[in-house]
Amino acid sequence: MAVVGVSVPRLDGLDKVRGATRYTADLELPGMLYARVLRSTYPHARLLRVDASRAARLPGVVVLTRDDLQGMDPCYGPVVRDQPIVALDKVRYVGDVVAAVAAEERDLAEEALDLVQVEYEPLPAVFDPLEAMRPGAPLIHERTLAMDAAILPGPIVHLERSGNTRSSHHVEQGDVEAGFAEADEIFEDTYTLPIIQHGHLEPHAALATWEASGKLVVYSSTQSPSQVRTQLAELFRLPESQVRIIVPCLGAGYGAKLYCKLEPLAAALARKARRPVQWALTREEVFLTIVRHAAVVRLKTGVKRDGTLLARQIEVVYDTGAYADCGPRVAKNSCHSSAGPYRIPHQRLTSYCVYTNKPPAGAFRGFGVPQVCWAYESQMDDIARRLGIDPLELRLKNLLREGDQFVTGEQLTSIGGSRCLEQVAETIGLRSAENESADLRLQSADWSQSALCNLKSQINRTQHSALVRGKGLACMIKSSTAATNSAASVRLNADGSAQLLTSAVEIGQGCGTTLAQIVAETLGLPLERVSVSLPDTDVTPYDFGTMSSRTIFSNGHAARQAALQVRTQVLDVAAQALEAAPQDLEIADGVVRVQGAPERCLTFAQVFQARFGTAVGSLFGNDDFQTRGGVDPETGKGKAAAFWFWSAAAAEVEVDTETGKVRVLKAAISVDAGKAINPRQCALQNEGSMLTALGSALFEELVFDNGQPINASFLDYMLPSLEDCPDSFQPWLVETPHPDGPFGAKGVGEAGLGPVAPAIGNAVANALGGVRIRDLPLRPDRVLSAECRVEGTQHPALGGLPP
Amino acid sequence: MAVVGVSVPRLDGLDKVRGATRYTADLELPGMLYARVLRSTYPHARLLRVDASRAARLPGVVVLTRDDLQGMDPCYGPVVRDQPIVALDKVRYVGDVVAAVAAEERDLAEEALDLVQVEYEPLPAVFDPLEAMRPGAPLIHERTLAMDAAILPGPIVHLERSGNTRSSHHVEQGDVEAGFAEADEIFEDTYTLPIIQHGHLEPHAALATWEASGKLVVYSSTQSPSQVRTQLAELFRLPESQVRIIVPCLGAGYGAKLYCKLEPLAAALARKARRPVQWALTREEVFLTIVRHAAVVRLKTGVKRDGTLLARQIEVVYDTGAYADCGPRVAKNSCHSSAGPYRIPHQRLTSYCVYTNKPPAGAFRGFGVPQVCWAYESQMDDIARRLGIDPLELRLKNLLREGDQFVTGEQLTSIGGSRCLEQVAETIGLRSAENESADLRLQSADWSQSALCNLKSQINRTQHSALVRGKGLACMIKSSTAATNSAASVRLNADGSAQLLTSAVEIGQGCGTTLAQIVAETLGLPLERVSVSLPDTDVTPYDFGTMSSRTIFSNGHAARQAALQVRTQVLDVAAQALEAAPQDLEIADGVVRVQGAPERCLTFAQVFQARFGTAVGSLFGNDDFQTRGGVDPETGKGKAAAFWFWSAAAAEVEVDTETGKVRVLKAAISVDAGKAINPRQCALQNEGSMLTALGSALFEELVFDNGQPINASFLDYMLPSLEDCPDSFQPWLVETPHPDGPFGAKGVGEAGLGPVAPAIGNAVANALGGVRIRDLPLRPDRVLSAECRVEGTQHPALGGLPP
């Protein structure tokens, strides 16, 4: 192949490095106002009074309060419509939007905000999802029945109808009790992960304007323009053709920019102001807008002495904050995959999505799987350790294989799991067959297995001996969401250049380049002769969204099919003109020729001349690709994935037993790309996964004090710096072609993230002689206090799950 | 039909009346510079020196001179590339662009212009096209051979290869000499029309920017985005996918904004500046950029005593100014149609497109036909008068009929000419059968036929009797250009709303509304559920251009076909789901139902659910419609038109014989719309035609003094004011369906314009007792001096055509 499989430079690269790319917040429209919002300072309170009349009297200021939302259902949300444009009866978290103003100058907007008077009646609040599930916990959403009526169509999740539990999800196979009874060893542990934030460079922004005709136009930093269009059409009771979502380049999103975020409020303000309204978040506000679910994972596993996994029972509780966002989908997705990429005959998997009085949690690269992967891959090493089996071998022994049935009942194909594991193990020096010194049980031989305290006191004596090293690995399976829908249109111009129309969002991942490669390869064109649109729902076709690493698989599939349709037309016309059979023709370098008779050829211009009489016009191809699927909400059975991600990671760490600081020396990620359309971009995705996971493994957590976030800024919230990066990083790609992927390609973006934190965790445990830290992040204080922990018992702080 | 044939309000109307529509000059890009150009003050001169070095030294100023164009062929043009981005070796008219500057402020740009030093060597110039055709006339383009090599592909025109004659066109049938020999009477007259300007409200504007990737993006007030894209791609040697033309709404164009105008210079400046460059013309510059061809029409007609037209010979000379623009196409188009809508067995038709040292002339509503229509319809009344035949009857007797062969050899269909004539005649009181008092020969009975001088002296005696009245009518045939190409894409959304992608330009004619009506009718949707794109060549498909009143016929045909494809898919899916045959289904109000069993129905959402598994996605339809055609450049035979326009106009005038002022009291236009998709918009097009033609009939002419334009501003150039409008105006529509038009529709925009001026001229002649003014405009001085003219002789000022 000429273009696919080649690491061509990114088509948008130069614009980006030169600072020429325009993001949503860079856009201006004549007469544009700037929006600012007033946010709740209470985690839970009844709104007695919202009076913006003084603010409204400022010249050039427009205010929006709940009074302006009369006569419409002002609530939105991708799964249930539980989030109002501005607070109605009460506020549900610190940061909840109470009122909004728009003014010609940002300063004036701030000034106007100060004049909005709000009277609160504080209510009891609940911050811990386990507490929130208990009977008698303060109820965060009273409007349960009304909300249930607002459930969006489609069998997405099994929704609970009472309390703070928004939804629960369940799937099982075999007889898990019988499995535990058969087991030689049982492992039962609880793992926790805190709230983290995506840390995307570009804060959310939206610019809304209403045309006099009544059409709503929103420029937005959204990852899902088609879904935002649908929801705005519903909110404002418009046909979708009267809502136009235009998406410039995004400065990353990682899930934070999926579904409606700023768009409903910006649109409502612009409607009232009769002027364009721009709303761009500050960094602090980003932390209050969307976060990753904190989770508590209780994991019980029964194994045979030879390492065969027999039974696994899992309960995962997801803290979805004050509004569901896509939390129910995260919990559902996590539920299927929570037993990991292993053949386990007996499984009972349950997950819960629970409201608390904290910021809404939604999609985050990995969509619920990093949380469960942290649990099952940490426990896997504990199992290996207790049974005396090499962790790599234990995994390879139990890994799902081609044709196996997943817990959802679907048959698996295109499985690169073992190759991923072997690659990273080899890279990090953990593959026992090839590297004797890498035997995990022999690692850090100078460490006694049981006596961390003794060791620490020894280490404290000399500066150097305080540093200990360890290695670890982990692997993962994850579904890519189904059912979804991605359409593409390809147009060939008479000069032999082509355009792809897609609503795929250029989120920093380089999809424009990769999709162009797919079209160029299919049409036999040089890459520079293919251009790819940015999303504009008035002109680019429906797309489910840039999420779940589905763009190359789904939009790419649609683009390839659309291009193939164009190719067929070109070949048919050329075959007639050249008096040859279409299958005897080839296209390369902008020329259609008879194979073996290169003098019998036509340029694209000549093909158009033959087709249309003049060398102008457009040849079209369209495809609307559905990844069919979905699971039964009662049984959890069905088809959970358009395709499955397989990946593995390994790390070597250095732990300073004096300060508790963990440093990753070496890391590797291997992902099954199916087919790497642009290998360099795939490798860079792995690099991104590694950096994101490094932060969540070692540093990141959004900390609350009685519902008040106390580190919601980049000054206080610890992202990994360049100094924290591993000295060496190896991004591996495995290629197990998928029958539905374009040229066999699957997704890569989020695949590498899941196993990194457990690999680091396993390396730390390895360095600490088997002492396990089950709570992320691996903060220095946790490392230092790990010595006080007795391996295998339940985390004291967590308690059991409610009955 | 529910939507087609209904005068729905314009979808873009509210935005426009509220001033919310953004035109090209309203757009801003960050870092944008403003361009200004230095224009030649000589009509013809060699450029000895162009030194912009002092200007370039100003901070923040970028200059562009011929020195910057080395290494590229800097010439553009739709037919021949004869116009340089800035002047190279010499300047060819007063206003020719010599150099350009771009600066952060408009004032600074003006200041910089003053610092550009130019040294000219004046050359002999020629302003009269007849003079320019003579051997020995100053040669305006010496580069004839090189220019011929630059002729664009496609058999467009027959190009002359010497002198100032850019092209000549010829078609004939029968034996014109024999025809004249058979004739009872021969009429031979010469008619002239001056240079006029389109008077579009929005001056030309372009905003060009280069993305760092090398992609050129131009926002432009162009009527032909696809053709501008092609030409910029050729100029800058880019694939068309790397050139993006975005077209906001236009504040009218009337042909002035066809093909490249400001775009090449704006793009070249932006490339040098590495910043976006906006170039917006002043009103004065518009007059120097593009005008309508002045023409000299020599018309010789042989008739039988009973009024049968036997033979007609025509020579038309078009003054195309210093650069050809589309002048050769105007001359070609005019050539076919110059004998009018009549059956004349012997015809010899010739036209010439000739360079002079005046501003370039190009497309103008009517594209060469108003010039010849002025001639043949003026002469038609003279024939009627001399033969004593009612002018309406004379026309009806000779009119081409269904199935007749046109002079080009093609067979005519869909002919509404006689109905148009009868309608306007009746309106104005000129249909003798129905209105005895309207007999043209009996009109203004108090006027002696031959003695205008006597009459005037009588009239001068009393104030009131100085006002005389007359009535006149005229009709026209015009081709709509072929071969052309218009593509359309229709996408149906799952909520039963749809989008049409087209590169048709919203030029003020309301095409967005009418195209939406076509799609809505075809898909059974309410109009407000259909949106129509503005052109953006990256996403909207190829279109030949918004010209020749072809949008509804061609883009509308493509839109209807694309919508029919979507409709077929909807019906197929619904038929399966409803267990019915597709032909038994109907679509209305967003529901597909079995005819006669309304309970068996599906919403569009249910259709999508059935088709895709979820109620999301896009259903696509595409069509690329070619109007095949073209004439042989040697013989003029072939297919000149995608369809033919038929129209007629009538007017009643009042002439002040003391001041020479002509006032139109009453006017009517009738146009054969084929099918009026939106009757009100069609009627408004007729109103626009009437106003434009009123100006050209009575007031407008761009006057030159030795090549210097002396009234190039709206202060000095006389457009008709509201006061000049007729007291009553009747816009008629005839509907003779065309087999290729959507719902039978043909074009309307320019059809009404041609016959208005001759109708007014005939009314004036009628008022003046048969005294004929053959030169436009009908200025007071011409009316007053008409008495000195002897009817039937050649215009003294013109002389004969060169041999």
Side-chain angles (χ1 to χ4, degrees), chain B residues 199-214:
Chain B
H200 44 88
L201 270 180
E202 178 208 20
H204 300 73
L207 168 54
T209 184
W210 292 79
E211 295 179 359
S213 65

Side-chain angles (χ1 to χ4, degrees), chain A residues 93-94 195 287-291 320-322 357-361 702 704:
Chain A
Y93 73 100
V94 174
I195 293 178
F287 281 93
L288 301 176
T289 299
I290 193 74
V291 297
T320 205
N357 291 114
K358 299 215 291 296
L702 187 59
F704 292 84

Side-chain angles (χ1 to χ4, degrees), chain B residues 515-771:
Chain B
L515 292 171
Q517 287 179 270
I518 289 171
V519 172
E521 185 69 49
T522 306
L523 290 176
L525 296 176
L527 182 66
E528 63 272 17
R529 298 188 79 83
V530 178
S531 76
V532 178
S533 69
L534 291 176
D536 171 351
T537 59
D538 255 18
V539 287
T540 57
Y542 184 88
D543 180 52
F544 189 72
T546 297
M547 62 173 89
S548 206
S549 305
R550 60 183 293 285
T551 300
I552 293 313
F553 185 83
S554 291
N555 305 64
H557 178 106
R560 170 137 170 89
Q561 293 304 316
L564 279 173
Q565 291 173 22
V566 174
R567 183 184 172 90
T568 300
Q569 294 170 61
V570 169
L571 292 182
D572 286 349
V573 172
Q576 201 163 14
L578 294 170
E579 295 177 350
Q583 62 273 21
D584 294 339
L585 300 181
E586 61 181 11
I587 311 181
D589 303 324
V591 174
V592 190
R593 58 171 62 87
V594 180
Q595 283 172 340
E599 73 289 354
R600 291 171 62 198
C601 66
L602 292 177
T603 63
F604 280 100
Q606 289 169 321
V607 169
F608 275 72
Q609 183 83 40
R611 169 70 181 79
F612 294 130
T614 49
V616 296
S618 306
L619 283 175
F620 294 95
N622 296 305
D623 189 60
D624 195 330
F625 175 56
Q626 300 84 45
T627 61
R628 306 235 170 197
V631 296
D632 182 281
E634 294 298 330
T635 65
K637 300 290 181 181
K639 185 175 183 314
F643 63 93
W644 292 89
F645 300 96
W646 295 87
S647 68
E652 181 175 6
V653 303
E654 185 176 71
V655 182
D656 186 327
T657 54
E658 209 159 71
T659 64
K661 186 174 166 161
V662 175
R663 197 159 74 83
V664 177
L665 303 173
K666 203 170 172 181
I669 290 179
S670 179
V671 162
D672 183 357
K675 166 72 189 173
I677 306 288
N678 186 318
R680 184 182 154 81
Q681 286 199 38
C682 295
L684 288 169
Q685 283 287 0
N686 279 346
E687 199 172 300
S689 288
M690 189 273 297
L691 286 168
T692 301
L694 186 70
S696 65
L698 300 185
F699 310 115
E700 296 180 47
E701 59 184 318
L702 188 58
V703 183
F704 293 84
D705 177 6
N706 222 15
Q708 301 284 346
I710 61 171
N711 63 337
S713 81
F714 276 176
L715 278 178
D716 301 312
Y717 181 87
M718 280 185 48
L719 289 169
S721 70
L722 277 180
E723 222 179 64
D724 300 314
C725 290
D727 302 332
S728 103
F729 172 66
Q730 182 63 50
W732 287 109
L733 298 171
V734 164
E735 292 187 334
T736 318
H738 192 287
D740 294 335
F743 303 98
K746 300 186 279 195
V748 172
E750 62 191 339
L753 188 133
V756 174
I760 293 173
N762 287 338
V764 169
N766 176 237
L768 299 184
V771 174

Side-chain angles (χ1 to χ4, degrees), chain A residues 15 211-212 229 240-241 491 493 495 497 499 529 537-539 542 611-612 618 622 624 626 628, chain B residues 15 22 212 229 240-241 491 493 495 497 499 529 537-539 542 611-612 618 622 624 626 628:
Chain A
D15 270 340
E211 295 179 359
R229 177 174 75 159
E240 295 199 4
S241 57
R491 284 197 198 120
N493 304 317
D495 78 333
S497 63
Q499 290 150 260
R529 299 188 79 83
T537 60
D538 255 18
V539 286
Y542 184 88
R611 169 71 181 78
F612 293 130
S618 305
N622 296 305
D624 195 329
Q626 301 83 46
R628 305 234 171 199
Chain B
D15 270 340
R22 298 182 77 203
R229 176 172 78 159
E240 296 198 3
S241 57
R491 284 196 197 121
N493 303 317
D495 78 333
S497 64
Q499 291 149 260
R529 298 188 79 83
T537 59
D538 255 18
V539 287
Y542 184 88
R611 169 70 181 79
F612 294 130
S618 306
N622 296 305
D624 195 330
Q626 300 84 45
R628 306 235 170 197

